[in-house]
Short mmCIF file of all heavy atoms in Angstrom, two decimals:
data_model
loop_
_atom_site.label_atom_id
_atom_site.label_comp_id
_atom_site.label_asym_id
_atom_site.label_seq_id
_atom_site.Cartn_x
_atom_site.Cartn_y
_atom_site.Cartn_z
N LYS A 233 -16.47 25.77 -2.70
CA LYS A 233 -17.60 25.98 -3.55
C LYS A 233 -18.91 25.85 -2.78
O LYS A 233 -19.73 26.77 -2.76
CB LYS A 233 -17.59 25.02 -4.74
CG LYS A 233 -18.49 25.29 -5.82
CD LYS A 233 -18.00 24.51 -7.08
CE LYS A 233 -19.14 24.04 -7.91
NZ LYS A 233 -18.70 22.95 -8.82
N TYR A 234 -19.05 24.73 -2.09
CA TYR A 234 -20.33 24.50 -1.36
C TYR A 234 -20.28 25.05 0.07
O TYR A 234 -21.36 25.19 0.66
CB TYR A 234 -20.63 22.99 -1.36
CG TYR A 234 -20.88 22.43 -2.74
CD1 TYR A 234 -19.87 21.83 -3.47
CD2 TYR A 234 -22.12 22.55 -3.34
CE1 TYR A 234 -20.09 21.31 -4.70
CE2 TYR A 234 -22.37 22.05 -4.62
CZ TYR A 234 -21.36 21.43 -5.28
OH TYR A 234 -21.62 20.94 -6.55
N ARG A 235 -19.10 25.28 0.53
CA ARG A 235 -18.93 25.78 1.89
C ARG A 235 -19.69 24.99 2.96
O ARG A 235 -20.31 25.57 3.85
CB ARG A 235 -19.38 27.27 1.90
CG ARG A 235 -18.51 28.19 1.05
CD ARG A 235 -18.92 29.62 1.16
NE ARG A 235 -18.19 30.43 0.27
CZ ARG A 235 -16.96 30.81 0.42
NH1 ARG A 235 -16.30 30.54 1.53
NH2 ARG A 235 -16.29 31.53 -0.48
N ILE A 236 -19.61 23.71 2.80
CA ILE A 236 -20.25 22.90 3.88
C ILE A 236 -19.23 22.50 4.95
O ILE A 236 -19.60 21.92 5.98
CB ILE A 236 -21.01 21.70 3.32
CG1 ILE A 236 -20.13 20.91 2.37
CG2 ILE A 236 -22.28 22.10 2.64
CD1 ILE A 236 -20.79 19.71 1.79
N ILE A 237 -17.97 22.74 4.66
CA ILE A 237 -16.97 22.57 5.70
C ILE A 237 -16.30 23.95 5.85
O ILE A 237 -15.99 24.54 4.81
CB ILE A 237 -15.86 21.56 5.22
CG1 ILE A 237 -16.47 20.21 5.00
CG2 ILE A 237 -14.74 21.50 6.29
CD1 ILE A 237 -15.49 19.20 4.36
N ASP A 238 -16.08 24.34 7.06
CA ASP A 238 -15.39 25.62 7.27
C ASP A 238 -13.89 25.26 7.50
O ASP A 238 -13.52 24.79 8.56
CB ASP A 238 -15.95 26.27 8.50
CG ASP A 238 -15.28 27.64 8.68
OD1 ASP A 238 -14.22 27.93 7.99
OD2 ASP A 238 -15.72 28.42 9.54
N PRO A 239 -13.09 25.48 6.49
CA PRO A 239 -11.68 25.08 6.59
C PRO A 239 -10.95 25.77 7.79
O PRO A 239 -10.01 25.20 8.29
CB PRO A 239 -11.06 25.45 5.28
CG PRO A 239 -11.99 26.45 4.64
CD PRO A 239 -13.36 26.18 5.19
N LYS A 240 -11.44 26.89 8.18
CA LYS A 240 -10.73 27.60 9.30
C LYS A 240 -10.90 26.85 10.59
O LYS A 240 -10.19 27.14 11.59
CB LYS A 240 -11.33 29.05 9.40
CG LYS A 240 -10.91 29.97 8.27
CD LYS A 240 -9.44 30.33 8.49
CE LYS A 240 -8.90 31.05 7.24
NZ LYS A 240 -7.86 30.35 6.49
N LEU A 241 -11.89 25.97 10.68
CA LEU A 241 -12.09 25.25 11.93
C LEU A 241 -11.32 23.87 11.95
O LEU A 241 -11.41 23.16 12.91
CB LEU A 241 -13.59 24.96 12.17
CG LEU A 241 -14.40 26.21 12.40
CD1 LEU A 241 -15.89 25.87 12.46
CD2 LEU A 241 -13.98 26.95 13.64
N ILE A 242 -10.60 23.65 10.86
CA ILE A 242 -9.90 22.39 10.79
C ILE A 242 -8.60 22.47 11.59
O ILE A 242 -7.84 23.38 11.49
CB ILE A 242 -9.57 22.02 9.29
CG1 ILE A 242 -10.90 21.61 8.64
CG2 ILE A 242 -8.56 20.89 9.22
CD1 ILE A 242 -10.84 21.45 7.18
N SER A 243 -8.41 21.45 12.48
CA SER A 243 -7.21 21.52 13.29
C SER A 243 -6.23 20.41 13.03
O SER A 243 -5.14 20.36 13.61
CB SER A 243 -7.66 21.47 14.78
OG SER A 243 -8.42 20.36 15.01
N MET A 244 -6.59 19.43 12.23
CA MET A 244 -5.67 18.37 11.89
C MET A 244 -5.87 17.95 10.46
O MET A 244 -7.02 17.74 10.02
CB MET A 244 -5.92 17.20 12.84
CG MET A 244 -4.87 16.15 12.82
SD MET A 244 -5.33 14.86 14.04
CE MET A 244 -3.85 13.98 14.21
N PHE A 245 -4.82 17.84 9.72
CA PHE A 245 -4.91 17.63 8.29
C PHE A 245 -3.87 16.56 7.87
O PHE A 245 -2.71 16.67 8.15
CB PHE A 245 -4.56 18.97 7.64
CG PHE A 245 -4.63 18.99 6.13
CD1 PHE A 245 -5.86 19.16 5.47
CD2 PHE A 245 -3.50 18.97 5.37
CE1 PHE A 245 -5.93 19.23 4.12
CE2 PHE A 245 -3.59 19.05 3.97
CZ PHE A 245 -4.77 19.16 3.37
N VAL A 246 -4.41 15.51 7.24
CA VAL A 246 -3.48 14.46 6.90
C VAL A 246 -3.49 14.15 5.45
O VAL A 246 -4.53 14.06 4.76
CB VAL A 246 -3.94 13.10 7.63
CG1 VAL A 246 -3.10 11.96 7.18
CG2 VAL A 246 -3.85 13.27 9.10
N LEU A 247 -2.33 14.06 4.91
CA LEU A 247 -2.15 13.61 3.49
C LEU A 247 -1.52 12.21 3.54
O LEU A 247 -0.35 12.12 3.92
CB LEU A 247 -1.20 14.57 2.80
CG LEU A 247 -1.83 15.81 2.26
CD1 LEU A 247 -0.75 16.89 2.09
CD2 LEU A 247 -2.48 15.51 0.97
N ASP A 248 -2.27 11.26 3.07
CA ASP A 248 -1.76 9.89 3.06
C ASP A 248 -1.23 9.59 1.66
O ASP A 248 -1.73 10.13 0.68
CB ASP A 248 -2.84 8.91 3.45
CG ASP A 248 -2.32 7.53 3.69
OD1 ASP A 248 -1.13 7.40 3.96
OD2 ASP A 248 -3.09 6.58 3.62
N GLU A 249 -0.36 8.67 1.52
CA GLU A 249 0.17 8.23 0.26
C GLU A 249 0.54 9.41 -0.60
O GLU A 249 0.17 9.47 -1.78
CB GLU A 249 -0.86 7.38 -0.50
CG GLU A 249 -1.19 6.10 0.27
CD GLU A 249 -1.89 5.08 -0.61
OE1 GLU A 249 -2.99 5.41 -1.06
OE2 GLU A 249 -1.33 4.07 -0.82
N ALA A 250 1.35 10.30 -0.06
CA ALA A 250 1.73 11.54 -0.79
C ALA A 250 2.39 11.21 -2.13
O ALA A 250 2.21 11.89 -3.12
CB ALA A 250 2.64 12.36 0.06
N ASP A 251 3.17 10.12 -2.14
CA ASP A 251 3.86 9.80 -3.44
C ASP A 251 2.89 9.42 -4.53
O ASP A 251 2.99 9.81 -5.67
CB ASP A 251 4.82 8.64 -3.21
CG ASP A 251 4.34 7.47 -2.43
OD1 ASP A 251 3.20 7.58 -1.91
OD2 ASP A 251 5.05 6.48 -2.33
N VAL A 252 1.85 8.68 -4.17
CA VAL A 252 0.84 8.34 -5.19
C VAL A 252 -0.04 9.54 -5.48
O VAL A 252 -0.44 9.74 -6.64
CB VAL A 252 -0.04 7.16 -4.65
CG1 VAL A 252 -0.85 6.57 -5.80
CG2 VAL A 252 0.90 6.07 -4.09
N MET A 253 -0.34 10.31 -4.47
CA MET A 253 -1.14 11.51 -4.64
C MET A 253 -0.55 12.47 -5.71
O MET A 253 -1.27 12.92 -6.59
CB MET A 253 -1.23 12.22 -3.27
CG MET A 253 -2.11 13.45 -3.32
SD MET A 253 -3.84 13.01 -3.11
CE MET A 253 -3.92 12.96 -1.35
N ILE A 254 0.74 12.71 -5.58
CA ILE A 254 1.30 13.69 -6.50
C ILE A 254 1.42 13.20 -7.93
O ILE A 254 1.62 13.93 -8.88
CB ILE A 254 2.63 14.32 -6.00
CG1 ILE A 254 3.71 13.22 -5.86
CG2 ILE A 254 2.47 15.12 -4.75
CD1 ILE A 254 5.06 13.78 -5.70
N ALA A 255 1.38 11.86 -8.04
CA ALA A 255 1.46 11.30 -9.37
C ALA A 255 0.09 11.37 -10.10
O ALA A 255 -0.04 11.08 -11.27
CB ALA A 255 1.93 9.84 -9.30
N THR A 256 -0.92 11.69 -9.37
CA THR A 256 -2.28 11.72 -9.94
C THR A 256 -2.60 13.13 -10.36
O THR A 256 -2.54 14.10 -9.56
CB THR A 256 -3.31 11.22 -8.93
OG1 THR A 256 -2.85 9.94 -8.42
CG2 THR A 256 -4.70 11.09 -9.58
N GLN A 257 -2.97 13.31 -11.63
CA GLN A 257 -3.21 14.55 -12.18
C GLN A 257 -4.15 15.43 -11.35
O GLN A 257 -5.21 14.98 -10.93
CB GLN A 257 -3.89 14.37 -13.57
CG GLN A 257 -4.05 15.59 -14.44
CD GLN A 257 -2.67 15.93 -15.06
OE1 GLN A 257 -1.94 15.02 -15.44
NE2 GLN A 257 -2.41 17.19 -15.17
N GLY A 258 -3.73 16.57 -11.02
CA GLY A 258 -4.63 17.52 -10.33
C GLY A 258 -4.64 17.42 -8.80
O GLY A 258 -4.87 18.36 -8.11
N HIS A 259 -4.35 16.24 -8.29
CA HIS A 259 -4.44 16.02 -6.85
C HIS A 259 -3.44 16.89 -6.06
O HIS A 259 -3.72 17.37 -4.99
CB HIS A 259 -4.27 14.59 -6.49
CG HIS A 259 -5.54 13.74 -6.69
ND1 HIS A 259 -5.59 12.43 -6.37
CD2 HIS A 259 -6.72 14.13 -7.15
CE1 HIS A 259 -6.82 12.01 -6.66
NE2 HIS A 259 -7.54 13.05 -7.18
N ARG A 260 -2.24 17.05 -6.68
CA ARG A 260 -1.22 17.79 -6.00
C ARG A 260 -1.69 19.25 -5.83
O ARG A 260 -1.65 19.81 -4.71
CB ARG A 260 0.02 17.77 -6.86
CG ARG A 260 1.22 18.47 -6.27
CD ARG A 260 2.43 18.43 -7.22
NE ARG A 260 3.52 19.13 -6.63
CZ ARG A 260 3.64 20.45 -6.68
NH1 ARG A 260 2.70 21.17 -7.24
NH2 ARG A 260 4.68 21.06 -6.13
N ASP A 261 -2.17 19.87 -6.93
CA ASP A 261 -2.60 21.27 -6.86
C ASP A 261 -3.81 21.45 -5.97
O ASP A 261 -3.90 22.44 -5.21
CB ASP A 261 -2.88 21.82 -8.27
CG ASP A 261 -1.58 21.85 -9.09
OD1 ASP A 261 -0.51 21.79 -8.46
OD2 ASP A 261 -1.64 21.92 -10.30
N GLN A 262 -4.76 20.50 -6.09
CA GLN A 262 -5.95 20.63 -5.22
C GLN A 262 -5.54 20.53 -3.75
O GLN A 262 -6.10 21.24 -2.92
CB GLN A 262 -6.90 19.50 -5.60
CG GLN A 262 -7.65 19.69 -6.86
CD GLN A 262 -8.19 18.42 -7.46
OE1 GLN A 262 -7.80 17.31 -7.03
NE2 GLN A 262 -9.08 18.56 -8.45
N SER A 263 -4.59 19.66 -3.45
CA SER A 263 -4.14 19.52 -2.07
C SER A 263 -3.55 20.85 -1.56
O SER A 263 -3.76 21.30 -0.44
CB SER A 263 -3.09 18.44 -1.93
OG SER A 263 -3.60 17.22 -2.44
#
Side-chain angles (χ1 to χ4, degrees):
K233 191 160 146 201
Y234 295 97
R235 295 183 186 281
I236 50 180
I237 299 170
D238 182 350
K240 288 286 171 246
L241 294 175
I242 288 169
S243 56
M244 193 178 194
F245 182 80
V246 174
L247 276 159
D248 189 21
E249 296 196 298
D251 47 353
V252 191
M253 181 84 86
I254 61 167
T256 307
Q257 190 77 36
H259 280 181
R260 182 183 177 281
D261 294 342
Q262 286 158 348
S263 303

